[in-house]
Amino acid sequence: MHSSGHSTGPLLHLVHACLDDLDELVDAFVAEIAVLRPYRDRLIPAAEVRADAEASFEMLLRLIAGLPVPHRIADVSERVGRRRAQAGMPLEVLLQAVRLDFRVLWSALLRRADPGDTQALIEGAVTVWEAVERHTVGVHVSYLDEAAVLARERERERSRLVAQLLATDGRDPQAVNQVATALEVDPNGLFAVAAGAQADQRALRGELDRLRANGVSAHLHFEERGPILLAALPRGVRAMPAHWMQDVPCGLGPVADGLAAVPLSVRVAVEVASAIGPGTTHPVGLREVWAEVAAARLAELGQALARSVLSEVDSVPPHERRRLLETAESFLASGSVADTAREVFCHRNTVLNRLRRLGELTGGDLGSPEHAALVLLALRVRSRAEAGNDRPCD
C-alpha cells in the first residue's frame, strides 16, 4: 500500500520525528478518548486500543509523508472498524475517536516544529487532514459492512430460535428463555402476532421497520405458511395499539400472554390470513372471518353441511336464487333489514319476504341467531368450493 502524498522538506522531517516517538502519540490519543464512555468502561481492552492506535498513527504518518505502508498495518482502518462493530461500539463514538487522530497528529507536529517550519506545516495541513479522513472513511465503511453481517447473523439466530419455539408449541422452557434472550423481551410479557401472505412480504417488513424505529422489540419470521410478525406490547398495554399494522393486510392472532402462548396465536393468525380476501387493506382478526375459518376447518363435514342447508335453495330458478342469496349475504353481514334494503335497492317488505322465503328453504328462521349462523357457515363453505379452495359440493 502506498500513498500519493508528496511531503518534502520540513514536513517530512517532522513526520520522521513523530515516527520515532509513536508512544507519545498513542499516550496522547488514549488520554483524549478516556472521556468517551465506551473507552472509559473498557469496552475495548486497553492493550487492543494501544495496538490499534500505534498502527493507525504509523499508517497516517506514512501516508502524509508518502512513505510505503507495510503490509502489517495496511488494513488497520478495516480492522478497527470491524473489531469495534463486533464489540458493539456505537458508530458515532467510534468516528468521534478516530477523528481525534487529527488533533493528536497536528499537536505532535506543532510541538516538533521550529519557527521556520510554520509555513510548510500550514501548507501540509490539507495532507494531514486528507490522511485522517481516508482512515476515517475506511473505518466507517468496514464498520457498516461488519454491522450488516452481524445483523444478518442475529436475524438468522432469532429465526432459528423462534422456529424451535413454534416446533415445541411453547412447551420447552429452554426454547422460551432462549427466544426471550435473543429478542431481548420479557418471556412473560404480552405479544402481538400477525401473519401475512407469502406472496407479499413487503407490508409486514415495512411494519417491522416502523415498530423497531419506535423502540418496539419485534421480529419477522419466515416459513412456508408466510411471514409472521411478533412484537412485544409496551408494558401495561393489554391490546395491540390501534396504530400498529395500519394499512397492512394481515391476519391477527389473539394477544399472546407470554412467549409460550405465541405458537397458538401464530396458528390462529395464519388461519385468519388464509381467509382474507384479495382486496383487504387492513389487519383482520378472527372475529371478522370466523365463518370463513370455520368453513375451511370443517372440510368434508362442511360440504355435507352446505348440502343439507342449501339443497332446497339450489332447486329454485337461478334468478330467484341469486336474489335470495344476495339479500341473505347483506342481511347476515349487518343484521339490519333497513340497511339490507338500501344495499340491494328494494323495499324493506321485499327484503322481509325474501328472508322469509329463504328461511322456508333452509328449514329455519334467519331472525334466529343460531339459524342465521348456520346459513352463514353453509354459504361460506359453498363460496370456498366455488373459488376452488375445496371440492365442489354435490
Side-chain angles (χ1 to χ4, degrees):
M1 177 177 177
H2 297 275
S3 168
S4 58
H6 301 285
S7 300
T8 58
L11 182 57
L12 184 58
H13 171 73
L14 294 173
V15 166
H16 278 290
C18 289
L19 282 170
D20 290 339
D21 198 4
L22 283 175
D23 283 345
E24 179 190 325
L25 276 70
V26 172
D27 289 342
F29 176 76
V30 170
E32 289 277 4
I33 64 172
V35 299
L36 302 178
R37 183 172 181 179
Y39 290 98
R40 186 176 69 240
D41 294 345
R42 298 296 179 90
L43 178 64
I44 311 299
E48 182 178 331
V49 171
R50 291 192 66 87
D52 289 341
E54 182 175 339
S56 297
F57 282 120
E58 181 179 353
M59 180 198 68
L60 289 169
L61 288 165
R62 287 178 174 275
L63 288 175
I64 293 166
L67 299 173
V69 177
H71 180 71
R72 61 183 170 78
I73 60 172
D75 66 341
V76 64
S77 304
E78 292 74 15
R79 189 167 67 243
V80 168
R82 188 170 60 253
R83 287 178 176 175
R84 299 303 182 266
Q86 292 168 351
M89 172 76 71
L91 178 58
E92 62 274 14
V93 175
L94 173 61
L95 296 181
Q96 183 180 355
V98 173
R99 289 196 169 102
L100 286 172
D101 289 348
F102 179 82
R103 181 191 298 177
V104 172
L105 274 174
W106 192 248
S107 296
L109 292 170
L110 284 175
R111 283 196 301 273
R112 288 163 175 77
D114 294 327
D117 297 334
T118 303
Q119 186 59 37
L121 197 54
I122 292 174
E123 292 174 356
V126 172
T127 303
V128 176
W129 176 255
E130 287 177 345
V132 173
E133 193 60 20
R134 177 174 171 178
H135 176 48
T136 303
V137 170
V139 170
H140 193 175
V141 171
S142 62
Y143 180 101
L144 293 178
D145 288 346
E146 185 66 16
V149 170
L150 294 172
R152 288 194 294 271
E153 291 176 351
R154 283 194 297 271
E155 285 300 311
R156 282 195 291 268
E157 178 64 7
R158 287 172 176 171
S159 291
R160 184 187 71 79
L161 293 173
V162 170
Q164 184 179 354
L165 175 71
L166 298 180
T168 58
D169 202 27
R171 295 190 178 95
D172 183 351
Q174 183 178 3
V176 170
N177 290 330
Q178 287 177 332
V179 170
T181 300
L183 300 185
E184 300 180 348
V185 297
D186 178 0
N188 299 313
L190 299 177
F191 299 89
V193 176
Q198 183 70 283
D200 184 10
Q201 302 175 359
R202 291 172 299 177
L204 277 181
R205 188 177 290 279
E207 185 63 22
L208 173 72
D209 293 339
R210 284 190 291 273
L211 289 174
R212 285 181 172 176
N214 286 288
V216 177
S217 179
H219 174 71
L220 190 59
H221 181 68
F222 296 94
E223 52 180 51
E224 289 185 5
R225 296 176 291 181
I228 297 166
L229 180 62
L230 173 64
L233 295 185
R235 188 179 299 274
V237 175
R238 304 290 304 175
M240 190 184 79
H243 62 278
W244 285 18
M245 316 291 176
Q246 273 188 333
D247 303 323
V248 177
C250 61
L252 298 178
V255 169
D257 190 355
L259 283 174
V262 163
L264 172 60
S265 186
V266 166
R267 291 196 293 274
V268 174
V270 169
E271 290 277 5
V272 172
S274 69
I276 294 175
T280 303
T281 59
H282 60 278
V284 176
L286 180 59
R287 292 179 60 173
E288 296 173 71
V289 292
W290 69 267
E292 287 82 355
V293 172
R297 300 287 288 183
L298 282 171
E300 63 180 9
L301 293 180
Q303 297 176 39
L305 175 69
R307 285 194 295 269
S308 172
V309 174
L310 302 177
S311 59
E312 292 298 319
V313 178
D314 291 339
S315 67
V316 304
H319 180 65
E320 181 185 358
R321 181 169 66 248
R322 196 160 47 247
R323 287 186 303 177
L324 290 175
L325 293 180
E326 176 190 39
T327 303
E329 287 282 3
S330 178
F331 177 74
L332 291 171
S334 67
S336 167
V337 173
D339 290 346
T340 300
R342 282 192 293 271
E343 186 172 339
V344 300
F345 302 106
C346 63
H347 194 274
R348 67 184 312 275
N349 289 338
T350 302
V351 170
L352 290 171
N353 289 334
R354 290 178 183 178
L355 294 177
R356 190 178 301 111
R357 170 66 170 152
L358 192 61
E360 293 170 357
L361 294 171
T362 57
D365 178 6
L366 265 69
S368 162
E370 183 176 353
H371 190 68
L374 177 66
V375 173
L376 177 61
L377 189 54
L379 290 174
R380 292 297 175 268
V381 171
R382 176 64 60 84
S383 177
R384 284 182 57 82
E386 291 175 349
N389 293 319
D390 290 321
R391 288 177 301 170
C393 300
D394 296 334

